[in-house]
Amino acid sequence: MNRPTLLSNQSEAASTSNHPALQPAVTEVPVTPGVHLTGQSAYTEPARQTPAITPGPARGYGSYFASAGDGPAVKPPPGEKDLTDRDPRAAHPNLNLSGRVISANFVIPYKVGLSGGKDWQLGPRSGTSALFDSFAHLASPASPWNHTLVGWTGEIEEVDQARDPAAAQSQNKAAAPIPVDPKSAAPPPPQSNGLRVDRDSREKLEQRLERDPGGKIVPLWLVEEVDSQKDEYILKDQSRWRRYAENELYTLFHYKQNAPADGRETRKAWADYYRLNKIFADKIIELYKPGDIILIHDFYLFLLPSLLRQSLPNVYIGFFLHIPFPSSEFYRCLSRRKEILEGVLGANMIGFQSYSYARHFSSCCTRILGFDSSATGVDAYGAHVAVDVFPIGINAAFTQKLAFGDAAIDEKIQRIRELYAGKKIIVGRDRLDSVRGVAQKLQGFEVFLEKYPDWRDKVVLIQVTSPGSVQVKRNDEDDKKILNKISELVAKINGTYGSLSFTPVQHFPQYLSKEEYFALLRVADVGLITSVRDGMNTTSLEYIICQKDNHGPLILSEFSGTAGPLKEALQINPWDMGGVAAAINEALCLSDNDRHDRFVKLYQHVVSNNVQTWTNRYVRKLLGNLASYDQSFQTPALDRAKLLLQYRQAKKRVFMFDYDGTLTPIVKDPGAAIPSDRVMRTLKTLASDPLNSVWIISGRDQKFLDDWMGHIPELGLSAEHGSFMRHPRSTEWKDLTATADMSWQPEVLEIFQHYTERTTGSFVERKKIALTWHYRRADPEYGAFQARQCQKQLEMTVARKYDVEVMTGKANLEVRPRFVNKGEIAKRLVIEYSEMGETPEFVLCLGDDSTDEDMFRSLKQSKLPQEQVFTVTVGASTKQTLASWHLVEPADVISVISLLNGSADAGNVGAIAVVDGHVPESRIV
């Protein structure tokens, strides 16, 4: 067998919670009294027999607006369809679209179980129904696209024939599903040796999903161990693929932070996250055809856009984030902050739920990466990455059909009204997570009862708290704190304001059946949502649909992504308990006319901006941006895994490094740009490998390079842009310009002196072969203006009389002989090594400004196989470059060299995991 898994599988099913809120005395009380019309349980999902053929998702795939006889009709919004919605290829002929859309989502729409090692059981996956509806729309006859969904199978459970995977919900111990019979034994934990899936079983599932009624699905198998002899995948610790996204990203993006740790587990989780995204990229590249549109969803796949662009430079990519994006002050706490931003900036367009999230993202790109950003997007790597806002909707017609098309729901509504006769009903339904604001809701309700005593005994709050959407193992203490807080608040409110005959807060920590859920939303007099941080709260949208007859007002947190579109909701700050109390009173006191007027506007918005409209609008805007901006110059981030693999395979390697802005940051005083100890150690280690030839090709003069680099005998040095060379293990400099005409220098010096006198902070640097005017210390805007004037004067005078060129650098102008440039040195080195019988099999060339473009050009024109040549531009500028790859800053350059030297720092652990198949055990450095 191959190498065993690094993280052991720990069964959570074996342990149970003894929290008082989850005791049978609490959980056995149904939300609604009575039984289902079919005789099944009224408060738990009924057990279902798995059909012989694959079921489709419970969505209205064929029609997106209810037909006659399907219940109250939701009419489509008026207006003709855009040509892009009907025939995108005709609307954008220059894009050469294939007509295909490949969507990448972390998981497929089903919970998957394997029975007896051969029979697959599929049940609907809860939590992201709006997104799954979007996929169904793209695959439906109403869409002009041919759609394929790529997603992980999710955790595959080994189930008995009688069990349904749909009944196996979250592994969150503190909010586990409540069994119908509390005396029944818990399901056995998974076997410690893992779940085995053979080739026949894999192919059987793949074929079933390929023919799925909701559109073609391509499942991904995420495995750590393979039995090669039996061709079996061994699934262990399957939740490992969630850990980094859910423990690190989800937590921080909701403005929470984990306790400090030594970083070992985070390091492993990051490696798994990188590998996860790489597996997605490899599968999509396998499916891809030119002209395909790739749509990538959510925080599990932040790295996927860049990984795809590394292999498909001209691919069309849209990315959409379904959760909040934090402010830069909070986001910068993320250890892998640069990698996440670089990864998602591989997309052509990035969508968010609200304007504030989009603004935060653009701000992070500017503050952390140094990219220019505006209201329309981010300028990165020579291209414009559009950033826009697309509040998601729901399948309004199908939701209304479900809510009003079942007699069991009507029966439950009647029973609830009888139980709470004469009472106003406030309904809250949230997941067990501190960001959902359940504690704030209860505190606000308590203040309401205190401030408005006339409502006591006349209002009941029905609060349902279901397990959270985050499925990896969480800190038990955090769960207990949340539950304790909720239980204490419920007990306090009921003890203070309740009586023997009435309890003002009815709290149910359990799942709801579909019938119960819609019955509560329909019967409610007020909907109360107090999220302290949320993406798009679809419960608020479903509540509005369900209030078609009742017109109950909605109280909505201003921190929910839904708050922006739903202007007619009563918006509150959940941290302002008095404000929440006042909003509850206002909602209960609204006149019928006010309720009706507010509801009509909310209802019209939800119906008009449904998930189908959202999907069409997003794709339409993506195509519009692709047609408006030339994306052909976008330079992908350096593929470190590919670089490492090629490096290891090569028998002769050549490195060409610029100095300023590449090995060291640009500073105002050029004399202060001295290499750090880490830079020197890293270069010395790299040059000590007998297979490596390392050259520093700089605009600096000989003395500077001798002073700071000359003590490393293995280094080759080139000064003044290739005018002088010093070969490795030599102390002699070779002058390549000994016969050059230098008569132009006095005239250039006079012009430079003229501008120096008029530009405070500027100065002239005299080299043996070139003259450079620096304005790093000058006012940036005035210095740039003077440089343009100086350049114009030089080009009109000196450049016309002598064979020289005027080169613009970073805050400098340089005049040098035309035949002198770094490209000539690069060409010379390739020829010299080839003539010595050491033709390079690996070339890494890095530079940051226009003078380094000559090297990139020369290497592209060489006869070396291009897959062996890595030309990399360094810096956050939006320049268009001849380089094939990019890095953001000099620190990344040193990190990449360290990777080749064998160091496994935090930024390189993902690439090493892809190449080696495992994570180094050393600590993060």
Side-chain angles (χ1 to χ4, degrees):
M1 291 187 183
N2 294 344
R3 182 185 53 78
T5 57
L6 291 166
L7 299 176
S8 61
N9 184 30
Q10 297 178 351
S11 171
E12 296 187 12
S15 59
T16 57
S17 172
N18 58 0
H19 193 280
L22 296 178
Q23 295 303 306
V26 176
T27 59
E28 289 180 8
V29 180
V31 176
T32 53
V35 296
H36 194 280
L37 291 179
T38 61
Q40 297 169 325
S41 168
Y43 57 98
T44 56
E45 286 282 7
R48 294 184 291 270
Q49 295 297 323
T50 303
I53 60 173
T54 305
R59 307 282 178 251
Y61 293 118
S63 172
Y64 287 87
F65 298 100
S67 59
D70 283 342
V74 178
K75 296 182 179 180
E80 292 295 326
K81 277 189 174 182
D82 187 278
L83 179 60
T84 303
D85 298 338
R86 294 183 283 110
D87 190 349
R89 282 180 284 191
H92 300 282
N94 294 333
L95 296 179
N96 297 317
L97 298 172
S98 65
R100 304 195 327 157
V101 169
I102 301 175
S103 292
N105 189 56
F106 178 55
V107 290
I108 63 175
Y110 300 110
K111 292 184 71 68
V112 181
L114 184 60
S115 176
K118 59 181 179 179
D119 295 326
W120 294 104
Q121 297 185 9
L122 306 181
R125 184 182 298 277
S126 61
T128 53
S129 59
L131 180 56
F132 294 150
D133 282 339
S134 173
F135 299 149
H137 169 63
L138 286 169
S140 73
S143 167
W145 300 100
N146 183 335
H147 182 256
T148 298
L149 171 62
V150 177
W152 177 37
T153 59
E155 292 87 348
I156 298 175
E157 295 189 356
E158 189 171 12
V159 297
D160 298 330
Q161 291 286 351
R163 290 184 61 208
D164 186 333
Q169 302 280 348
S170 171
Q171 295 181 0
N172 186 340
K173 294 185 294 184
I178 308 305
V180 176
D181 182 3
K183 298 180 181 179
S184 62
Q191 297 180 3
S192 59
N193 59 356
L195 176 64
R196 290 176 171 262
V197 184
D198 60 29
R199 174 182 287 275
D200 290 341
S201 296
R202 299 196 302 268
E203 291 179 349
K204 184 178 180 181
L205 179 63
E206 290 168 359
Q207 291 170 2
R208 291 176 69 175
L209 293 175
E210 185 176 6
R211 300 190 298 267
D212 189 78
K216 180 180 178 181
I217 299 174
V218 177
L220 289 182
W221 303 91
L222 301 181
V223 296
E224 183 63 20
E225 186 176 347
V226 177
D227 187 334
S228 302
Q229 293 182 346
K230 298 181 180 180
D231 194 8
E232 292 180 337
Y233 289 169
I234 304 175
L235 306 181
K236 295 181 179 180
D237 190 21
Q238 298 179 69
S239 65
R240 66 181 301 163
W241 306 105
R242 298 178 177 271
R243 285 199 180 103
Y244 187 82
E246 296 186 358
N247 282 351
E248 303 296 326
L249 297 179
Y250 182 89
T251 301
L252 187 135
F253 279 40
H254 286 83
Y255 290 81
K256 299 189 296 180
Q257 287 184 293
N258 294 317
D262 67 2
R264 291 178 184 269
E265 292 303 315
T266 302
R267 177 197 188 98
K268 293 179 181 179
W270 170 254
D272 287 335
Y273 185 78
Y274 190 99
R275 291 175 62 195
L276 161 74
N277 280 260
K278 189 67 168 65
I279 292 170
F280 266 86
D282 291 344
K283 175 57 69 174
I284 292 173
I285 292 169
E286 177 186 322
L287 300 173
Y288 176 79
K289 294 180 180 179
D292 285 357
I293 301 291
I294 312 295
L295 301 181
I296 302 171
H297 292 273
D298 228 1
F299 60 101
Y300 297 95
L301 303 176
F302 268 133
L303 305 182
L304 183 54
S306 181
L307 292 173
L308 286 173
R309 197 161 298 284
Q310 288 171 354
S311 298
L312 305 170
N314 297 318
V315 66
Y316 303 146
I317 302 176
F319 182 92
F320 190 84
L321 183 65
H322 293 262
I323 65 172
F325 196 93
S327 69
S328 61
E329 290 303 311
F330 215 88
Y331 177 82
R332 66 196 308 172
C333 299
L334 187 67
S335 60
R336 305 267 60 85
R337 59 193 186 184
K338 286 198 326 184
E339 290 86 345
I340 294 296
L341 293 178
E342 283 190 277
V344 73
L345 283 172
N348 300 104
M349 186 179 79
I350 304 170
F352 296 89
Q353 299 278 20
S354 76
Y355 173 75
S356 62
Y357 304 157
R359 179 168 51 82
H360 290 164
F361 174 79
S362 297
S363 175
C364 285
C365 291
T366 298
R367 292 172 180 265
I368 294 172
L369 297 181
F371 291 146
D372 293 334
S373 62
S374 65
T376 62
V378 179
D379 293 327
Y381 319 130
H384 179 80
V385 180
V387 175
D388 216 329
V389 179
F390 305 90
I392 199 171
I394 60 172
N395 190 334
F398 193 70
T399 299
Q400 187 161 304
K401 178 181 177 181
L402 290 175
F404 290 88
D406 188 346
I409 297 176
D410 295 331
E411 180 195 15
K412 288 181 180 296
I413 291 173
Q414 181 61 32
R415 296 297 185 116
I416 294 173
R417 285 175 175 162
E418 291 175 359
L419 183 62
Y420 302 110
K423 305 289 191 296
K424 294 289 185 179
I425 300 173
I426 302 173
V427 168
R429 183 265 185 183
D430 304 276
R431 294 190 179 276
L432 184 67
D433 194 322
S434 60
V435 301
R436 304 302 175 183
V438 178
Q440 285 82 354
K441 181 184 303 185
L442 293 170
Q443 289 169 331
F445 185 69
E446 180 183 14
V447 173
F448 163 74
L449 294 176
E450 177 185 349
K451 291 181 63 176
Y452 304 96
D454 291 345
W455 284 110
R456 296 174 189 173
D457 296 328
K458 299 178 182 178
V459 177
V460 60
L461 170 62
I462 301 178
Q463 174 62 40
V464 180
T465 308
S466 304
S469 58
V470 174
Q471 296 187 25
V472 298
K473 183 179 179 181
R474 293 170 46 182
N475 188 325
D476 290 344
E477 292 303 317
D478 291 342
D479 287 338
K480 289 179 180 179
K481 286 180 182 179
I482 298 172
L483 283 168
N484 285 335
K485 183 67 173 178
I486 293 174
S487 298
E488 289 171 4
L489 287 169
V490 170
K492 179 183 178 184
I493 295 170
N494 289 338
T496 304
Y497 300 104
S499 63
L500 292 175
S501 59
F502 179 68
T503 305
V505 178
Q506 299 286 341
H507 179 231
F508 302 95
Q510 62 187 66
Y511 287 103
L512 284 181
S513 69
K514 177 185 65 179
E515 293 81 9
E516 285 184 316
Y517 176 65
F518 286 120
L520 283 175
L521 294 189
R522 283 180 57 185
V523 78
D525 295 292
V526 176
L528 182 56
I529 296 173
T530 54
S531 307
V532 297
R533 194 67 58 180
D534 207 354
M536 184 57 63
N537 191 304
T538 55
T539 299
S540 60
L541 306 179
E542 292 163 343
Y543 172 79
I544 292 168
I545 291 296
C546 291
Q547 285 292 311
K548 185 181 67 67
D549 297 330
N550 201 27
H551 301 172
L554 171 67
I555 302 175
L556 181 62
S557 167
E558 64 186 49
F559 298 112
S560 169
T562 330
L566 301 181
K567 299 294 185 183
E568 297 304 317
L570 297 174
Q571 298 195 9
I572 48 94
N573 176 359
W575 300 101
D576 177 10
M577 309 309 167
V580 175
I584 295 174
N585 180 65
E586 180 183 356
L588 293 172
C589 295
L590 283 176
S591 66
D592 290 343
N593 288 338
D594 288 341
R595 288 161 59 98
H596 177 269
D597 292 344
R598 286 178 177 270
F599 172 78
V600 167
K601 294 177 181 178
L602 291 172
Y603 184 80
Q604 185 58 40
H605 170 82
V606 175
V607 170
S608 301
N609 295 275
N610 55 31
V611 71
Q612 299 81 25
T613 303
W614 173 80
T615 305
N616 293 338
R617 183 183 299 132
Y618 183 85
V619 174
R620 184 165 60 246
K621 193 63 179 287
L622 173 60
L623 295 179
N625 281 304
L626 289 171
S628 300
Y629 297 101
D630 185 358
Q631 306 291 333
S632 60
F633 293 101
Q634 187 165 3
T635 309
L638 177 61
D639 187 341
R640 300 192 186 197
K642 181 178 180 180
L643 180 82
L644 178 60
L645 186 61
Q646 185 63 39
Y647 175 83
R648 290 179 176 179
Q649 294 173 348
K651 297 179 180 178
K652 178 59 182 178
R653 312 161 184 140
V654 176
F655 296 84
M656 305 177 193
F657 299 142
D658 175 41
Y659 182 76
D660 290 285
T662 301
L663 294 176
T664 62
I666 295 291
V667 294
K668 288 190 174 183
D669 182 2
I674 59 176
S676 66
D677 288 342
R678 186 187 180 197
V679 170
M680 300 307 299
R681 290 196 310 269
T682 304
L683 288 175
K684 186 174 179 61
T685 302
L686 185 70
S688 65
D689 189 322
L691 300 181
N692 297 344
S693 294
V694 183
W695 284 81
I696 308 299
I697 303 176
S698 173
R700 294 284 189 159
D701 59 22
Q702 297 159 268
K703 184 179 184 307
F704 182 91
L705 294 181
D706 263 335
D707 290 345
W708 293 105
M709 302 287 182
H711 65 285
I712 305 178
E714 297 88 355
L715 282 182
L717 303 176
S718 175
E720 298 194 31
H721 301 292
S723 301
F724 304 92
M725 291 183 68
R726 199 201 80 172
H727 281 78
R729 297 177 177 85
S730 172
T731 59
E732 295 183 6
W733 284 90
K734 184 176 181 180
D735 186 354
L736 304 181
T737 63
T739 60
D741 178 13
M742 297 291 116
S743 61
W744 51 269
Q745 286 194 342
E747 189 172 345
V748 172
L749 186 60
E750 182 180 350
I751 295 174
F752 277 169
Q753 193 62 40
H754 171 83
Y755 282 91
T756 300
E757 294 171 356
R758 289 159 178 78
T759 311
T760 303
S762 65
F763 62 95
V764 178
E765 180 184 6
R766 299 193 65 170
K767 304 175 182 178
K768 291 184 178 181
I769 199 67
L771 291 174
T772 307
W773 182 66
H774 295 275
Y775 56 93
R776 295 179 189 176
R777 301 173 184 173
D779 177 83
E781 292 185 5
Y782 185 67
F785 169 77
Q786 288 289 77
R788 290 192 295 270
Q789 299 300 313
C790 182
Q791 180 183 3
K792 186 183 300 183
Q793 183 174 346
L794 289 168
E795 289 173 345
M796 293 177 63
T797 56
V798 179
R800 293 185 178 183
K801 292 190 291 184
Y802 302 95
D803 189 21
V804 297
E805 60 182 342
V806 182
M807 298 295 297
T808 58
K810 289 190 174 178
N812 68 67
L813 276 179
E814 182 167 286
V815 181
R816 67 189 184 192
R818 192 173 296 277
F819 66 86
V820 175
N821 63 68
K822 294 181 178 182
E824 291 299 318
I825 291 296
K827 183 192 299 183
R828 186 186 188 105
L829 291 175
V830 171
I831 293 174
E832 283 185 2
Y833 286 117
S834 298
E835 290 177 347
M836 294 166 54
E838 299 180 346
T839 302
E841 297 178 358
F842 173 93
V843 177
L844 176 59
C845 177
L846 297 105
D848 71 309
D849 64 19
S850 57
T851 64
D852 301 306
E853 295 295 315
D854 294 325
M855 288 196 293
F856 304 152
R857 181 184 295 105
S858 177
L859 291 172
K860 281 184 175 293
Q861 294 172 349
S862 72
K863 295 181 181 180
L864 296 175
Q866 288 304 298
E867 65 271 13
Q868 299 176 3
V869 178
F870 294 82
T871 53
V872 185
T873 186
V874 181
S877 67
T878 58
K879 63 188 175 188
Q880 295 179 353
T881 177
L882 294 172
S884 299
W885 309 94
H886 81 257
L887 290 171
V888 172
E889 59 184 356
D892 297 329
V893 175
I894 304 306
S895 175
V896 166
I897 300 174
S898 299
L899 168 67
L900 303 182
N901 285 340
S903 172
D905 66 25
N908 292 321
V909 68
I912 295 175
V914 169
V915 175
D916 293 342
H918 69 279
V919 183
E921 291 296 331
S922 57
R923 288 188 57 179
I924 292 177
V925 296

